[in-house]
Amino acid sequence: MASTALRRLKWEKFRFLNNLSKRKNNCNQNHTRTICQRKTNQYICHSQLVCCRTFHSSPVCHELVQFKLADIGEGIREVQLKEWFVKVGDHVSQFDSICEVQSDKATVTITSRYKGIISKLYYDVDDIALVSKPLVDIETDADSPGTTQSSPSSSEVSSSSSDDEHSMQRIRGQKVLATPAVRRLAMENKIKLSDVEATGKDGRILKDDILKYMEDPSVGKQAKSKAPLATPPAVSVEPSKPAPVVSTTPIQPRITLPVGKDHTEKIKGMRKAMVKTMTEANNIPTFGYDDEIDMSALVELRSKVKAITDEKGVKFSYMPIIMKAVSMALTEFPMLNASVDKTCENITYKAVHNIGIAMDTQDGLIVPNVKNVQSLSIFELAAELNRLQSLGLAGKLGTSDLSGGTFSLSNIGAIGGTYARPVILPPEVSIGALGKIQALPRYDNHGNIVKKNIMCVSWSADHRVIEGAYMARFSNLLKSFLENPGLIMLYLR
């Protein structure tokens, strides 16, 4: 009986190994080797389950993924890392914000494509990050896209979620919320953001908070906490003093000490882009043309329609009317709305009027442009200018807002200038600067001195393709539109 049972056991083992070998040969998928607790090692396919009386275990694999900085377009190869939203050990999900970077054209928030734990940061704040190079390392979770792992137990899920919530609360407790422009303003004035009292939403520090702290540091957090209690002044009776003795010793010159220390910083961000653009512009032979425009009729027109635009929540300045008049004049003088290549062998006449407006921001000079001015109404131009100005002050202008310009205007008069010498932005061929509107005495047609609202305009053009007479005729046509706003309505298309 014993020998019969032994032969049957060997036969069953032979059949088991034979079937297992057939299943291995018929499977086209990748095989995973599993070491069982028994003495034999076998290959088991995941697509076919083999019953076994013994238990086995395999570790859960966490794939380490290098999250690389993707191409953000416009030929940008490097960006400046402005702020990290995560640190090593933090848990991130898909579409969570990882960091904020700034190129020479726009500020972009980078989001995660994976779900997992941050294991390494490749850059520090203000470092230069390269496109297509690793930004962070992420240990992907079992349920992250591209991985297939068994789900953890409910106790593990609850403990990990509680740890993540505690970590996020800890980050919120330490992190100071502020835009890049506000951080730069604080850095330039050597102000610690932790000392400034925040008045924005969710504890965000605003530009006004920095300016208020610069005027009176006592409004800060530490100054308030360390302020001593007010005590009544002590009343003391001063004894009579003897007459002062006049010294005959010559007064020694006072030794003065320098205030602060020199420091050097790297040019980056928007200012780095300005260096590149102005260096190219220096190779353009430029001529200037200046003129005066009587804006009295336009001042009266704006005063009548401003109340209507205010009701609709749109700030209405002279710029939308000027832009529309410039677009109408460019239709008659299309060479000013053109571009040339670097060797100035070809000139391209632009079909659309994308007029750029120079803006002074904390990060430097930027020139966003309004697209298709020739097709927009004056009210639509005012609304678009409001949008660009708001994004520019917040440092959130996109690449599309900063590219594709065909003609530019600089509103230097908003700061207080009259005449200027604007610099052409390659590959454009012309640019204009608008001075402030001044109340000045002028002669009328009858020889009488009257009050006029005068605005000075300054034009610069590429003398390789634009003649002085061509620019003068363009300026005269624009002048007729602005001095007689009714002509804008007459020729408006």
Side-chain angles (χ1 to χ4, degrees):
M1 294 293 293
S3 60
T4 303
L6 182 60
R7 285 196 300 271
R8 181 177 299 175
L9 181 61
K10 290 182 178 181
W11 173 249
E12 290 179 356
K13 181 178 179 180
F14 173 79
R15 291 179 57 191
F16 171 79
L17 295 177
N18 189 34
N19 292 336
L20 188 60
S21 177
K22 291 181 179 180
R23 291 174 179 175
K24 172 189 170 184
N25 295 332
N26 293 334
C27 181
N28 295 324
Q29 301 182 8
N30 295 329
H31 294 77
T32 303
R33 188 173 187 180
T34 304
I35 303 177
C36 299
Q37 293 181 355
R38 303 182 71 178
K39 294 183 179 180
T40 58
N41 296 339
Q42 303 295 339
Y43 284 90
I44 299 178
C45 175
H46 290 297
S47 63
Q48 299 180 7
L49 299 177
V50 179
C51 298
C52 184
R53 296 180 180 178
T54 58
F55 292 98
H56 69 277
S57 60
S58 60
V60 179
C61 296
H62 292 271
E63 183 181 359
L64 185 65
V65 177
Q66 283 189 340
F67 181 76
K68 297 182 179 181
L69 179 61
D71 187 3
I72 57 180
E74 295 294 326
I76 297 172
R77 305 307 306 166
E78 62 181 26
V79 295
Q80 179 188 359
L81 201 148
K82 299 295 292 184
E83 183 180 4
W84 281 111
F85 299 129
V86 296
K87 67 178 186 298
V88 175
D90 285 352
H91 187 278
V92 295
S93 301
Q94 278 188 293
F95 311 113
D96 282 356
S97 297
I98 292 182
C99 64
E100 184 178 70
V101 299
Q102 184 182 58
S103 68
D104 56 358
K105 296 181 181 294
T107 301
V108 181
T109 300
I110 305 299
T111 58
S112 175
R113 297 199 302 269
Y114 306 98
K115 179 180 179 182
I117 298 175
I118 302 295
S119 61
K120 182 179 180 180
L121 304 180
Y122 281 85
Y123 301 99
D124 295 328
V125 175
D126 289 335
D127 283 353
I128 301 300
L130 302 178
V131 174
S132 300
K133 296 296 183 181
L135 194 62
V136 297
D137 284 350
I138 302 177
E139 289 188 11
T140 57
D141 288 351
D143 56 347
S144 181
T147 60
T148 55
Q149 299 288 347
S150 59
S151 59
S153 63
S154 59
S155 61
E156 293 175 346
V157 172
S158 60
S159 62
S160 63
S161 62
S162 62
D163 291 342
D164 291 344
E165 292 176 1
H166 177 70
S167 176
M168 292 303 293
Q169 291 173 3
R170 186 167 60 252
I171 294 172
R172 296 191 187 100
Q174 296 178 357
K175 185 176 178 181
V176 179
L177 298 178
T179 62
V182 173
R183 291 180 182 275
R184 180 163 185 88
L185 179 61
M187 180 182 66
E188 291 176 349
N189 293 277
K190 299 181 179 179
I191 297 175
K192 292 183 178 181
L193 293 177
S194 59
D195 295 340
V196 181
E197 184 179 12
T199 60
K201 183 179 179 182
D202 297 331
R204 183 177 294 274
I205 296 178
L206 307 178
K207 179 182 178 181
D208 293 338
D209 299 335
I210 300 293
L211 298 177
K212 191 179 298 182
Y213 183 87
M214 293 169 60
E215 295 175 357
D216 184 10
S218 62
V219 300
K221 297 178 181 178
Q222 295 182 359
K224 287 188 176 181
S225 61
K226 296 181 180 180
L229 297 176
T231 57
V235 179
S236 62
V237 179
E238 297 183 358
S240 60
K241 297 180 179 179
V245 179
V246 179
S247 177
T248 59
T249 305
I251 300 176
Q252 298 294 332
R254 183 182 178 184
I255 301 176
T256 59
L257 298 176
V259 179
K261 296 182 179 180
D262 297 343
H263 70 282
T264 303
E265 61 181 23
K266 188 175 182 180
I267 298 176
K268 47 194 172 184
M270 298 294 183
R271 297 188 185 277
K272 185 176 181 180
M274 186 167 64
V275 170
K276 179 182 177 181
T277 304
M278 293 299 101
T279 302
E280 294 178 4
N282 191 45
N283 298 323
I284 301 176
T286 306
F287 76 90
Y289 180 85
D290 303 325
D291 201 358
E292 289 184 352
I293 299 178
D294 181 7
M295 301 285 285
S296 300
L298 198 59
V299 170
E300 183 180 358
L301 174 64
R302 176 177 176 267
S303 64
K304 293 179 180 179
V305 301
K306 189 175 184 301
I308 300 175
T309 57
D310 289 343
E311 292 178 357
K312 297 183 178 296
V314 177
K315 183 180 178 181
F316 190 75
S317 63
Y318 298 102
M319 185 57 71
I321 305 176
I322 295 175
M323 291 178 65
K324 194 63 181 180
V326 167
S327 176
M328 295 173 63
L330 288 176
T331 303
E332 301 299 325
F333 296 89
M335 189 175 291
L336 296 175
N337 191 59
S339 64
V340 294
D341 54 16
K342 292 185 177 181
T343 58
C344 200
E345 295 181 354
N346 300 286
I347 181 171
T348 302
Y349 296 88
K350 301 296 184 179
V352 295
H353 298 164
N354 297 340
I355 299 180
I357 304 297
M359 290 185 182
D360 180 35
T361 67
Q362 295 292 337
D363 296 326
L365 177 67
I366 57 176
V367 188
N369 59 83
V370 179
K371 301 291 193 297
N372 299 313
V373 176
Q374 78 284 352
S375 303
L376 299 179
S377 66
I378 294 177
F379 181 79
E380 291 172 335
L381 290 175
E384 180 65 8
L385 284 174
N386 286 188
R387 184 187 72 85
L388 293 176
Q389 186 176 16
S390 299
L391 294 177
L393 294 177
K396 298 296 183 181
L397 285 169
T399 305
S400 60
D401 296 323
L402 296 168
S403 59
T406 61
F407 187 89
S408 299
L409 292 173
S410 175
N411 189 16
I412 192 64
I415 301 176
T418 52
Y419 289 102
R421 182 62 60 233
V423 181
I424 300 173
L425 299 177
E428 298 175 14
V429 296
S430 58
I431 187 176
L434 310 175
K436 66 179 180 179
I437 299 177
Q438 306 176 87
L440 299 174
R442 291 293 185 267
Y443 287 102
D444 62 8
N445 295 332
H446 303 288
N448 300 319
I449 296 179
V450 295
K451 174 185 175 182
K452 296 289 186 180
N453 294 293
I454 303 299
M455 181 183 73
C456 302
V457 293
S458 306
W459 306 104
S460 295
D462 189 341
H463 216 335
R464 296 174 297 179
V465 292
I466 306 296
E467 296 84 11
Y470 194 86
M471 175 59 76
R473 294 188 184 97
F474 165 80
S475 183
N476 290 338
L477 179 58
L478 176 65
K479 181 177 180 178
S480 66
F481 286 147
L482 297 180
E483 290 185 345
N484 302 280
L487 294 178
I488 299 178
M489 302 298 299
L490 184 62
Y491 293 104
L492 187 64
R493 296 180 180 177

